[in-house]
Amino acid sequence: MNDVEDDKLLSRKKPTFPVHQKLKDYLKRYNRESNITVSYDDLLRFQGAITVYDKNENDTLWVRCYYPDHEREHIDRDLKHIYDILHSDGRDKSLDFLNVDAVDYCTFGNTKPFRIKIRNVLNDGHTYFYIKKADSSRIYGLELEHLLSPHRINFLVHGDTLIEEHIAGIPGDEFIEDYLESCDHQERTQIAKEFVKFNERCLIRLLGDMRAYNYVIIPTHDFDRVSYAIRAIDFDQQSYEGRLKVYRPQFFKENVPMVMNVADCLKNESIEQYKKEERALIAKRLINTQSRYKALIRCMRSDYLTSTVKLKELKKELMNFTGDVKFKNCRNMGSVLNTALEFVRRNYSNEA
């Protein structure tokens, strides 16, 4: 796991794919659809904005938005209602205790999301959620994360607007720069293990572009140690690119320190064991969510998620990587993903 490429693996810009009716039906069936009253386009009508800086006075590439007084009142009410739907029963009983502290807009990347900061005035605690343009490949990525990873995730869709909960943690690039070197050997070994498993999970479920700023490190303090988990926070590159390396975090230059940490802390036998463990766990989750997973794959098989060139390239690379000739007959990315997951289920379900 010690070979690393630069990040010239990705296409210049991934297009946004519309949410088709079959996927809308799926979202409604599994309570992912919501009749929210404010859209992404509504939030674009801000009157002005100022730059948001971090604690070290660096530009975060987010700007804080301001709205005309005649719009701010109903925008605040609608945003608090969205928070209530996302985190409670949607009956608006707690709205009087909530305040919209900030509406920030990201000027970096493909999705250009809005980040909403909601504060509970009773205890001064706050949390975030995001409003983005709905994109079917991103929705598939979120739902696959919910079904196949160790983590559950909350999101809602209405029309062409996507609402995502905030995933708390230390951004990977910040963790690498500020925290990794100060970890002791036991902690670095545990981080290495988690990176191996995260790398394998992304590959198996074809989630691409896991550069360091697209995942977070989550420390959990136990009575005698600190343990770490790694979670993806960006699902824009689900089953889109043609090169297999895009789906393996180890090949991005931003992750070099994580890859070197794996090489320093783990023997090859341990790396292979952790890969097998992750494949077995995914096989188990696949079996446990068969009905919902099959419904999702039916949607993906009827959807257009990439170009013919990229599809052909990925089929060839996966066939060479796994030796499974079934990839040759895949007609779309949904079929490619299903073939990859079925390969794992067939070969590792007995180890789960």
Side-chain angles (χ1 to χ4, degrees):
M1 197 174 172
N2 55 4
D3 46 345
V4 181
E5 284 195 1
D6 66 22
D7 59 353
K8 295 178 182 178
L9 295 170
L10 298 163
S11 303
R12 188 173 296 271
K13 184 174 174 62
K14 172 188 162 293
T16 298
F17 296 103
V19 183
H20 293 296
Q21 190 58 49
K22 282 189 178 181
L23 181 54
K24 289 179 181 178
D25 293 341
Y26 173 93
L27 295 169
K28 185 175 182 179
R29 177 180 175 186
Y30 290 103
N31 298 315
R32 297 294 199 185
E33 187 185 61
S34 176
N35 293 319
I36 59 175
T37 51
V38 64
S39 69
Y40 179 89
D41 289 338
D42 290 334
L43 295 182
L44 284 173
R45 298 200 301 268
F46 51 88
Q47 192 175 47
I50 60 172
T51 301
V52 177
Y53 296 95
D54 65 17
K55 62 184 179 182
N56 298 315
E57 296 301 316
N58 297 314
D59 187 347
T60 63
L61 303 178
W62 290 83
V63 295
R64 186 144 298 163
C65 304
Y66 297 94
Y67 296 86
D69 290 341
H70 68 278
E71 291 193 8
R72 183 69 200 221
E73 184 177 346
H74 80 79
I75 286 176
D76 277 13
R77 184 188 63 247
D78 292 342
L79 292 176
K80 289 190 287 187
H81 177 61
I82 289 173
Y83 172 87
D84 197 52
I85 295 173
L86 198 62
H87 293 285
S88 186
D89 58 8
R91 295 181 183 179
D92 292 349
K93 291 183 179 180
S94 61
L95 294 198
D96 291 342
F97 308 117
L98 301 176
N99 189 69
V100 180
D101 273 11
V103 177
D104 297 336
Y105 177 65
C106 185
T107 58
F108 172 74
N110 284 341
T111 56
K112 292 184 167 55
F114 285 93
R115 180 179 63 197
I116 316 301
K117 182 180 180 181
I118 300 287
R119 177 170 55 90
N120 187 314
V121 298
L122 296 177
N123 57 24
D124 218 31
H126 68 269
T127 189
Y128 300 93
F129 65 85
Y130 300 86
I131 297 181
K132 306 174 181 180
K133 273 284 189 184
D135 170 36
S136 61
S137 59
R138 187 178 188 90
I139 292 170
Y140 288 124
L142 286 161
E143 189 67 4
L144 287 163
E145 177 76 1
H146 185 77
L147 297 179
L148 300 179
S149 85
H151 315 288
R152 306 285 71 80
I153 191 164
N154 248 339
F155 69 92
L156 298 168
V157 180
H158 178 67
D160 62 354
T161 298
L162 171 65
I163 314 293
E164 289 181 35
E165 71 174 352
H166 175 66
I167 299 173
I170 304 168
D173 53 346
E174 182 181 326
F175 184 88
I176 290 169
E177 183 175 349
D178 298 338
Y179 298 95
L180 184 59
E181 283 191 11
S182 63
C183 293
D184 62 30
H185 180 72
Q186 183 183 30
E187 291 170 341
R188 290 174 71 100
T189 299
Q190 206 255 329
I191 292 166
K193 171 187 174 181
E194 290 302 313
F195 187 77
V196 169
K197 291 167 78 71
F198 176 69
N199 190 78
E200 193 69 11
R201 189 158 64 245
C202 292
L203 170 63
I204 292 168
R205 50 150 308 180
L206 299 182
L207 177 62
D209 191 17
M210 281 300 110
R211 286 173 284 186
Y213 50 77
N214 285 333
Y215 61 83
V216 293
I217 313 293
I218 306 169
T220 302
H221 292 261
D222 205 346
F223 72 95
D224 63 344
R225 65 185 179 120
V226 180
S227 62
Y228 296 87
I230 302 178
R231 286 192 67 175
I233 58 171
D234 193 316
F235 303 92
D236 193 47
Q237 289 279 347
Q238 175 64 51
S239 306
Y240 172 70
E241 293 287 358
R243 296 190 66 185
L244 192 59
K245 288 180 177 179
V246 173
Y247 304 104
R248 305 177 76 180
Q250 71 187 79
F251 288 109
F252 289 102
K253 68 179 182 182
E254 293 88 347
N255 292 326
V256 168
M258 297 293 272
V259 174
M260 297 307 295
N261 184 56
V262 170
D264 290 341
C265 295
L266 300 178
K267 296 180 179 179
N268 288 337
E269 295 84 356
S270 295
I271 293 173
E272 288 306 311
Q273 178 58 34
Y274 293 142
K275 287 181 179 181
K276 288 179 181 178
E277 285 181 13
E278 193 59 33
R279 292 168 199 161
L281 286 170
I282 288 177
K284 185 175 182 178
R285 292 180 196 121
L286 234 128
I287 293 167
N288 291 339
T289 59
Q290 268 297 287
S291 176
R292 187 163 176 170
Y293 165 73
K294 286 181 178 179
L296 184 67
I297 285 296
R298 282 196 293 271
C299 294
M300 287 190 75
R301 280 177 159 168
S302 64
D303 220 334
Y304 174 82
L305 297 173
T306 193
S307 67
T308 303
V309 173
K310 292 181 189 299
L311 175 64
K312 189 177 295 186
E313 182 180 22
L314 186 59
K315 284 165 53 176
K316 183 178 179 180
E317 291 206 19
L318 278 168
M319 192 163 58
N320 291 337
F321 184 72
T322 64
D324 190 344
V325 295
K326 292 182 179 179
F327 286 105
K328 189 174 183 179
N329 297 321
C330 294
R331 297 182 178 181
N332 50 58
M333 276 296 191
S335 183
V336 170
L337 177 62
N338 185 60
T339 302
L341 289 170
E342 284 300 309
F343 176 85
V344 170
R345 187 185 63 81
R346 285 195 314 271
N347 288 282
Y348 295 94
S349 58
N350 291 333
E351 299 181 29

